[in-house]
Amino acid sequence: MLVNMRDLLADAQEGNYAVGSFSIANMEMVLGVLKAAKELNAPVILQIAEVRLKQSPLELIGPLMVAAAENADIPVAVHFDHGKTFEKISQALDLGFTSVMFDGSHLPLEENIAQTKKVIAAAREYGADVEAEIGCVGGSEDGSQDIAINCTKPEDAVRFESETGVDALAVAIGNAHGNYKQTPKLRFDILEEIDKSTDVPLVLHGGTGITPDDFVRCSHTGIKKINIATATFDMVENTVCRCYNENSIKGYYDLQAAEVEGAYQNAKKHILIFGTENKA
Ligand code: 13P
């Protein structure tokens, strides 16, 4: 069933786990993620980022995501990731997304707060939730930019929460989008301070390449939503390559099944690490 992200994250705060938010690019990835969530009886979030709309147009992929959530037996929130423009954020809300991110992390804090409040006002008209970001997560969602990591200041998180009332807050603690060149050293000292001084569910971007131990530690230190993108795309591609090498793809529908399988395996692995099994 299609649900609000806020409710999934409130349950995660109560139960001391994190919910996986999986980026998808096509129907096969949606099917794979939902197959894993159903099998493990786990709540899940489906998301697509604004920079990815050039490959998967919002007016096509959006209704597919919403319909998939509505038809699922487990709770599914549909989220617009890294919204940059009011135009696309509004389109996502019109299409029935239950949550949108406004990414004002590159703006001065004042400006980020002001713009986030505008997005919250728009989202509330639809009963939808809003995620924002402060500090700067490294890399970029489509790998086109090498943005430097700028860790979130705990005092900024406190101010941001009290001035905006945002539903979820993405923090930068040494994490980055895309594949890490070396295993990241997350700043748990900063995360602990933010967690202690705020109530808002925190979001970890750049999930690909973070170790299982660090995921678990994050999920016990205020992180309630974990974004996974590159790992899904890599696993789908690798599964297809392996199946071709093993000669098990004999035609288009075998190719399609291999894509679903890759997305399924990746989602399953992460749901188990995040502790979301049987939390639907
Ligand atoms: P990765 O591509 O590193 O998994 O990051 C995903 C993400 O944070 C999407 O917003």
Side-chain angles (χ1 to χ4, degrees), residues 23 47 81-82 141 176-178 204-208 227-231:
S23 298
Q47 65 178 19
D81 188 31
H82 287 285
E141 229 297 315
H177 294 107
L204 183 73
H205 282 243
T208 301
N227 286 9
I228 302 289
T230 307

Side-chain angles (χ1 to χ4, degrees), residues 21-23 47-49 52 79 81-82 101 131 133 137-138 140-142 175-180 203-210 215 225-233 270:
S21 194
F22 296 95
S23 298
Q47 65 178 19
I48 185 153
R52 289 294 178 195
H79 177 71
D81 188 31
H82 287 285
M101 177 184 186
E131 174 185 333
E133 177 176 319
V137 172
S140 69
E141 229 297 315
D142 61 355
N175 45 321
H177 294 107
N179 284 309
Y180 292 92
V203 182
L204 183 73
H205 282 243
T208 301
I210 289 179
F215 276 140
K225 171 177 180 275
I226 300 179
N227 286 9
I228 302 289
T230 307
T232 308
F233 304 135
H270 286 98

